[in-house]
């Protein structure tokens, strides 16, 4: 699966991932329903493993409704107004793109037992705007696998 | 405005910010409608300036609907199922929290002319879970102000 765009690293409770998010993939394939696979445990992960994902097409109507709730700025809300902004057209909120990325990750083949739980990210990049009709897919790579004696869920 | 939680740095086209996101603030104040203030230009910003925000209460129903679209995992979808997870109860997706943070930022007193446009973030942290009824507010601080001869909108 082609890698486009810059890397996103998620610090997870049991492993680290690097996720590359692409935009503007030319062919449209509906986000495939991956049948539930057996969940993976810590011992199933090894550095260098990669996991693909389905594809998700970004829809103009959802760009606008997401933005009106979470990122109400002209370049996300209105195609005509967006022409006069830095983007010269309607673009998705980076948070919309990030949220779709999470959806693709959760439905990918990664499937760690206990779920995908992150304490944060280092280096999230939006290298180029995502426009209506663009498709996103992700590829994740296991960068590190480590045991933690205690997982902090607060503080 | 009290700072709680870890810092989020946004790299913006004209300045950098540090945004601290708090959870579980006790009093509920409806997200205030800030009347449109004059937009700020590069020369209006200086290192050390801070900007507050309104407050936003996280709603259980929206936690679930956001998760079902973007982060479909048991601890975000169903309070009973969430009891048996690492969180011992329903928690908001970190992407939901991040999106609400953007809303608070856009509606804050910061208001850079041209909008809040970021190429990415360094160091996003979710130090503790956000649960139904929790309130979020943000405080942003200008860490650096710099001119760029050319703003890249693609590539």
């Amino acid at each position: 699966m082609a890698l486009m765009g810059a890397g996103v690293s998620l610090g997870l409770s049991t492993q680290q991932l690097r996720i590359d998010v692409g935009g503007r993939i030319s062919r449209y394939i509906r986000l495939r329903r991956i049948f539930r696979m057996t969940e993976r445990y810590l011992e199933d992960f090894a550095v260098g493993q990669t996991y693909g994902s389905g594809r998700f097409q970004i829809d103009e109507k959802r760009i606008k409704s997401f933005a009106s709730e979470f990122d109400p700025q002209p370049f996300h809300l209105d195609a005509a107004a967006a022409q006069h902004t830095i983007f010269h057209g309607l673009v998705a909120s980076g948070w919309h793109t990030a949220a779709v990325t999470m959806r693709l990750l959760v439905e990918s083949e990664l499937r760690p037992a206990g779920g995908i739980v992150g304490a944060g990210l280092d280096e999230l990049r939006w290298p180029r705007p995502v426009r209506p009709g663009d498709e996103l897919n992700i590829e994740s790579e296991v960068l590190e696998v480590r045991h933690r004696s205690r997982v902090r869920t607060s503080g």
Side-chain angles (χ1 to χ4, degrees), chain A:
Chain A
M1 209 159 282
L3 294 188
M4 303 169 71
V8 176
S9 295
L10 284 175
L12 301 189
S13 58
T14 53
Q15 66 282 332
Q16 284 192 316
L17 304 169
R18 182 172 300 281
I19 300 161
D20 286 271
V21 185
R24 303 214 200 186
I25 294 162
S26 55
R27 262 185 325 146
Y28 173 40
I29 300 172
R30 195 174 286 277
L31 183 67
R32 59 190 160 123
R33 291 172 187 272
I34 299 168
F35 49 89
R36 301 302 288 187
M37 299 193 326
T38 308
E39 292 188 315
R40 297 177 203 277
Y41 291 85
L42 192 62
E43 56 272 24
D44 299 323
F45 289 104
V47 172
Q49 287 171 346
T50 59
Y51 299 92
S53 78
R55 294 181 177 199
F56 191 92
Q57 190 180 46
I58 301 286
D59 170 74
E60 175 162 351
K61 197 172 159 193
R62 191 71 188 101
I63 286 179
K64 294 176 183 173
S65 62
F66 187 99
S68 95
E69 184 176 1
F70 295 119
D71 193 351
Q73 302 195 86
F75 33 76
H76 302 316
L77 289 171
D78 182 88
Q83 289 297 336
H84 306 290
T85 68
I86 191 175
F87 296 110
H88 305 295
L90 194 76
V91 296
S93 168
W95 300 106
H96 187 183
T97 312
V100 167
T101 302
M102 187 65 187
R103 165 72 177 267
L104 289 167
L105 184 63
V106 169
E107 298 200 334
S108 78
E109 299 141 26
L110 184 75
R111 301 199 174 285
I116 301 177
V117 180
L121 293 101
D122 298 319
E123 213 187 308
L124 186 162
R125 292 290 177 269
W126 293 288
R128 37 185 187 157
V130 173
R131 300 181 189 273
D134 283 352
E135 287 187 7
L136 300 180
N137 74 328
I138 66 169
E139 180 161 301
S140 50
E141 179 182 350
V142 178
L143 298 182
E144 187 185 350
V145 178
R146 64 168 183 269
H147 285 269
R148 280 192 192 169
S149 51
R150 200 167 146 241
V151 177
R152 296 195 310 163
T153 58
S154 67

